[in-house]
C-alpha cells in the first residue's frame, strides 16, 4: 500500500557551470542546474531535501518518491529503500523519509557513475543500524589526531551563528548513509554536559536531523563531580545515579532524538568506575538505565590498558571478556579493530567472537594517526575489509569511525583522504562491498568518469595501504613511531621514566638474536585469546601468516621466510618495495594530470612528494637501526640509504598530536 506521497520530477535541460576545484564539494559535485519540475503532495524537511537533490541534479526519466507500508518495504527496515523503473518512470520507495533521502542519493550516484539505468530494480537495507562517526574534537577547537585544520564546530559562535558547513557536513554523511555523529573527543571535558554547551549541541542536532543524522556525546565519567559538585562519581551511589538521570532528562528536553553517550573510562588517565572498585559493566549500566526511557544507548569503549606486566595486546580481552553478558541491552561495547591501537596493520581484536553475549561494535580509525597523517595516500577500505575477512559482519552490531574531518576547505587535508570518509560510510552500509568498487565510484564522482583516469587510480588507491605498511611497519612490526605525534619513525625512542608500553622497543624487541614480540605460547601467549583453530595458526612460526609474523613471534634474523630469503633480507625487501610503491603512486598521479583540475592536481602532487620523502625516511631509519642488531648487509637490490642514522636520531618534529608536518619540518634529503 502506498501512502499518499507522490513527488514527480520532470526533467529539464541545463548548462554546465565551472567552479573552483578546491575539494570543498567532496564527491557531491554533480551539476545542479537541472531545475526539474517537482510535484510534491507531502512536505517535510527531509522530503524537501530529497526532492531538491533530485530536482536540481537528476537528468533521467521522471521520478517519484513514495512512502510505502507494505511488507516488502517493511522488510527493508526503517532506512532501507527500493529504486525501480516502472511504466516509464523511476520510483523510489521506503517506509521512512530518511529511506527516501538515501534512495535519492543512491539514484544520483548511479547517474554520476554512469551506471546502466535502463531497468532498475534495487533493494537496499543497511547491514548496521548504527553507522557512526566519532569526532575527537576538543572544546578549544583543536582536534586530537586530526590533520585537517581545526574543528568544524565553532563553539564560541554557537548557537547564534550557524556555519553553512554544518549542513554541508550532514548532507555529505547522508549521501553515504552515515546516521550518527559523536561530536566531541572521547577524552571528554565534563563541560560537554553543561547547560550552556547543550544548547549549542541542540543547534547542531537541529541542523543534522532532517539528514537522518543523530547526535551523540562523549561523556566524562567524573562529570557528577566536576560539573555537578558531588563528592563521588561512584556508579552505585544514589546521588550519582540521580545526577545522570536529571542530566539525561535535560538533554532529551532539548534534543528529543539524542542518540546517547560514548565513554572512555579508566583508559589513559580518564576517570571511570574502576576508581570506585566497580566494573566497567556497572559503570556502563548506570548510564544505560538513565538513557533507556528515551531510547538512548551507551557505547562503552574497551580500549583499556595499564602499565602492568601483562602484554598490552592482551589487556582489553582480560578486562572485558569476564564481563560478557553483564551489560544491559542498550549498551554496546566499542572495540578497536585490533588489540593495540590502530596500527597500519594489526590482527583483529580477540574480543570479537569471544564476547558472545554482549553487543559489540568495531571502532575503525579514519583519521591517519599512524598512517602518515594527511600527507600520505593510504586508502583504508582494504584494511577494513581485512578485518571483515576474520570477523563476520553479522557478529557485530555497529560500525564507528574516528573521523578525518576538520575545517580545512577540502575537509580532510589530503584530497584523496576524502575517500576514507566515503569508504567508511559505504562499508558501514554494506561491508561486503569491494574496496575497488568503492574507490571506483568515489573517483568517478569526485574527479571524472574517464576510464583512463578511473582505472589506474582505482589500482593506485587500492594498492596504497599495502605500500604504507611496507615502508613503515612490514611483517607485523608495530608502534615504532616517534613519541606522541606518531608521524615519523623512531624505533630507538627512549624516554627516561616513560611507560614501557609507550616506547617502540616494547613492541619490536630487537636484539642480536632477532626481531618481533613473542606472543606465542613461549611468550605472552596472546595467541590463546583467539579461537583454537586460529590460535594454532598464529602460534607456530611456520604457519603464522607472514604479514603478522613479528606481531606474534620473536624471529631470528636468519630465519628462512617463504620466499627463501632470511628475515633480514625479507625486511629489507619489504621496506624497499614500500618505497618503490610510494614512487609508483606518485608516477600514477603525475600521469593523471590531463584529467584533473590544476588546483587539486598540484595539492595532491605536493603531498605525494612528502609521501615519497617519508618512505625513504622510514626505510632508512628502520633498516639502519635494525641493522645495528642484525649486523647483516643490505641485499644489493635494496636502494642505498639517503640518510644517516646518526642524523635521523636527532630529528624532533615541532608538531603536537593534532598537526600534520610540512615538508620544511622534515629531515632534509
Ligand atoms: C583520544 C590513542 C591515541 C589517543 C586517543 C586514544 C583513544 O592512544 O594516541 O590520542 O585518545 O588512542 O583511542 O582513546
Amino acid at each position: 500500500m502506498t501512502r499518499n506521497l507522490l513527488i514527480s520530477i520532470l526533467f529539464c535541460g541545463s548548462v554546465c557551470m565551472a567552479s573552483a576545484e578546491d575539494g570543498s564539494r567532496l564527491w557531491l559535485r554533480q551539476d545542479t542546474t537541472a531545475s526539474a519540475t517537482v510535484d510534491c503532495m507531502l512536505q517535510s524537511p527531509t522530503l524537501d531535501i530529497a526532492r531538491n537533490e533530485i530536482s536540481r541534479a537528476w537528468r533521467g526519466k521522471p521520478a517519484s518518491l513514495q512512502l510505502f507500508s507494505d511488507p516488502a518495504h517493511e522488510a527493508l527496515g526503517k532506512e532501507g529503500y527500493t529504486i525501480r523503473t516502472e511504466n516509464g518512470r523511476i520510483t523510489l520507495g521506503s517506509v521512512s523519509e530518511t529511506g527516501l533521502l538515501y534512495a535519492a542519493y543512491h539514484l544520483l550516484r548511479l547517474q554520476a557513475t554512469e551506471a546502466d539505468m535502463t531497468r532498475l530494480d534495487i533493494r537496499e537495507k543497511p547491514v548496521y543500524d548504527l553507522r557512526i562517526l566519532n569526532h575527537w574534537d576538543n572544546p578549544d577547537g583543536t582536534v586530537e589526531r586530526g590533520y585537517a585544520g581545526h574543528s568544524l564546530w565553532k563553539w564560541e559562535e554557537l548557537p547564534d551563528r550557524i556555519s553553512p558547513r554544518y549542513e554541508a557536513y550532514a548532507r555529505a554523511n547522508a549521501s553515504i548513509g552515515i546516521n550518527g555523529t559523536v561530536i566531541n573527543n572521547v577524552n571528554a571535558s565534563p563541560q560537554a554536559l553543561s547547560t550552556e554547551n547543550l544548547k549549542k549541541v541542540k543547534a547542531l542536532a537541529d541542523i543534522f536531523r532532517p539528514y537522518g543524522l543523530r547526535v551523540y556525546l562523549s561523556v566524562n565519567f567524573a562529570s557528577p563531580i566536576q560539573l555537578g559538585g558531588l563528592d563521588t562519581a561512584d556508579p552505585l551511589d544514589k546521588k550519582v545515579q540521580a545526577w545522570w538521570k536529571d542530566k539525561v532528562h535535560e538533554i532529551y528536553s532539548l534534543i528529543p532524538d539524542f542518540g546517547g553517550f560514548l565513554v572512555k573510562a579508566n583508559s589513559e588517565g580518564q576517570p571511570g568506575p574502576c576508581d570506585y572498585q566497580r566494573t566497567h559493566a556497572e559503570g556502563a549500566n548506570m548510564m544505560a538505565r538513565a538513557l533507556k526511557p528515551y531510547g538512548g544507548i551507551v557505547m562503552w569503549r574497551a580500549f583499556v590498558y595499564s602499565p602492568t606486566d601483562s602484554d598490552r595486546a592482551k589487556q582489553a580481552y582480560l578486562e572485558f571478556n569476564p564481563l560478557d553478558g553483564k551489560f544491559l541491552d542498550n549498551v554496546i561495547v566499542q572495540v578497536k579493530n585490533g588489540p593495540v591501537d590502530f596500527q597500519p596493520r594489526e590482527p583483529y581484536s580477540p574480543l570479537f567472537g569471544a564476547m558472545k553475549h554482549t553487543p559489540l561494535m568495531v571502532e575503525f580509525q579514519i583519521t591517519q594517526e599512524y598512517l602518515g597523517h594527511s600527507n600520505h595516500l593510504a586508502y583504508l577500505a582494504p584494511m577494513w575489509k581485512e578485518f571483515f575477512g576474520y570477523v563476520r559482519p553479522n557478529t557485530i552490531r555497529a560500525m564507528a569511525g574516528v573521523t578525518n574531518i576538520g575545517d580545512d576547505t577540502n575537509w580532510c587535508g589530503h584530497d584523496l583522504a576524502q575517500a576514507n570518509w566515503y569508504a567508511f560510510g559505504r562499508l558501514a552500509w554494506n561491508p561486503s562491498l569491494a574496496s575497488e568498487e568503492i574507490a571506483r565510484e568515489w573517483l568517478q564522482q569526485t574527479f571524472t568518469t574517464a576510464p583512463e583516469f578511473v582505472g589506474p587510480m582505482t589500482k593506485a588507491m587500492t594498492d596504497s595501504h599495502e605500500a604504507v605498511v611496507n615502508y613503515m611497519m612490514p611483517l607485523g612490526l608495530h608502534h615504532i613511531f616517534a613519541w606522541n605525534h606518531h608521524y615519523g619513525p623512531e624505533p630507538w625512542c627512549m624516554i627516561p621514566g616513560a611507560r614501557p608500553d609507550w616506547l617502540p622497543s616494547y613492541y619490536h624487541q630487537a636484539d642480536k638474536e632477532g626481531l618481533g614480540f613473542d606472543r606465542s605460547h613461549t611468550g605472552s601467549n596472546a595467541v590463546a585469546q583467539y579461537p583454537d583453530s586460529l590460535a594454532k595458526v598464529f602460534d607456530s612460526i611456520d604457519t603464522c601468516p607472514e604479514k603478522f609474523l613479528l606481531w606474534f613471534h620473536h624471529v631470528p634474523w636468519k630465519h628462512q621466510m617463504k620466499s627463501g630469503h632470511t628475515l633480514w633480507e625479507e625486511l629489507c625487501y619489504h621496506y624497499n618495495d614500500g618505497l618503490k610503491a610510494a614512487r609508483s603512486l606518485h608516477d600514477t598521479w603525475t600521469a593523471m594530470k590531463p584529467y584533473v583540475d590544476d588546483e587539486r592536481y598540484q595539492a595532491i602532487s605536493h603531498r605525494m612528494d612528502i609521501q615519497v620523502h617519508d618512505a625513504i625516511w622510514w626505510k632508512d631509519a628502520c633498516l639502519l637501526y635494525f641493522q645495528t642488531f642484525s649486523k647483516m648487509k643490505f641485499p644489493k637490490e635494496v636502494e642505498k640509504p639517503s640518510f644517516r642514522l646518526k642524523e635521523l636520531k636527532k630529528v624532533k618534529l615541532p608538531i603536537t598530536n593534532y598537526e600534520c608536518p610540512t615538508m620544511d619540518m622534515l629531515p632534509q634529503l
Side-chain angles (χ1 to χ4, degrees), residues 483-665:
W483 177 254
N484 193 30
H485 57 65
H486 298 162
Y487 184 80
E490 248 181 57
W492 50 80
C493 176
M494 188 44 74
I495 310 262
R499 279 175 63 159
D501 55 356
W502 282 354
L503 294 172
S505 55
Y506 176 91
Y507 299 97
H508 63 64
Q509 304 271 326
D511 58 20
K512 62 179 186 352
E513 316 300 334
L515 183 65
F517 196 130
D518 185 0
R519 295 191 167 106
S520 73
H521 70 279
T522 58
S524 79
N525 204 21
V527 290
Q529 294 182 338
Y530 289 92
D532 286 351
S533 54
L534 198 54
K536 248 199 201 135
V537 172
F538 288 156
D539 194 43
S540 156
I541 202 167
D542 297 321
T543 54
C544 182
E546 288 190 346
K547 64 183 176 185
F548 297 135
L549 194 62
L550 304 177
W551 184 283
F552 287 114
H553 296 274
H554 190 68
V555 183
W557 293 112
K558 294 201 170 142
H559 170 79
Q560 189 179 334
M561 304 291 287
K562 293 203 177 75
S563 59
H565 302 132
T566 62
L567 168 68
W568 169 249
E569 289 162 345
E570 191 80 5
L571 192 72
C572 294
Y573 288 129
H574 273 271
Y575 275 104
N576 206 52
D577 286 351
L579 170 57
K580 283 204 242 164
R583 289 204 180 103
S584 153
L585 296 178
H586 200 326
D587 290 346
T588 302
W589 182 248
T590 305
M592 296 300 111
K593 194 169 188 329
Y595 306 98
V596 186
D597 51 280
D598 198 50
E599 210 170 334
R600 287 185 295 173
Y601 175 78
Q602 296 298 349
I604 292 170
S605 262
H606 175 66
R607 292 196 192 246
M608 287 190 161
D609 289 342
I610 300 182
Q611 182 163 13
V612 171
H613 165 281
D614 290 351
I616 299 172
W617 178 18
W618 270 95
K619 165 183 149 307
D620 290 358
C622 296
L623 291 183
L624 289 170
Y625 174 70
F626 291 134
Q627 191 181 37
T628 64
F629 297 94
S630 79
K631 311 276 187 220
M632 293 163 81
K633 287 202 177 107
F634 294 127
K636 63 177 180 340
E637 301 84 349
V638 169
E639 187 172 306
K640 300 254 165 327
S642 304
F643 292 107
R644 289 192 310 159
L645 185 58
K646 211 165 107 207
E647 299 305 318
L648 289 178
K649 283 190 172 179
K650 290 187 205 145
V651 173
K652 289 281 165 243
L653 298 188
I655 55 171
T656 62
N657 67 10
Y658 52 84
E659 282 168 302
C660 188
T662 48
M663 188 67 120
D664 54 311
M665 296 175 183

Side-chain angles (χ1 to χ4, degrees), residues 136 144-145 185-187 264 267-268 301 303 305 312 336 341-342 363 365 369-370 402 479 484 486 502 657:
W136 286 354
E144 183 156 350
R145 313 302 178 186
N185 194 349
V186 286
N187 292 327
K264 171 175 177 176
S267 161
E268 298 186 331
R301 296 176 91 225
F303 177 64
Y305 63 102
R312 172 170 168 185
K336 288 189 180 183
D341 189 11
F342 297 140
E363 178 177 330
Q365 195 178 43
E369 173 179 355
Y370 295 103
V402 181
H479 226 315
N484 193 30
H486 298 162
W502 282 354
N657 67 10

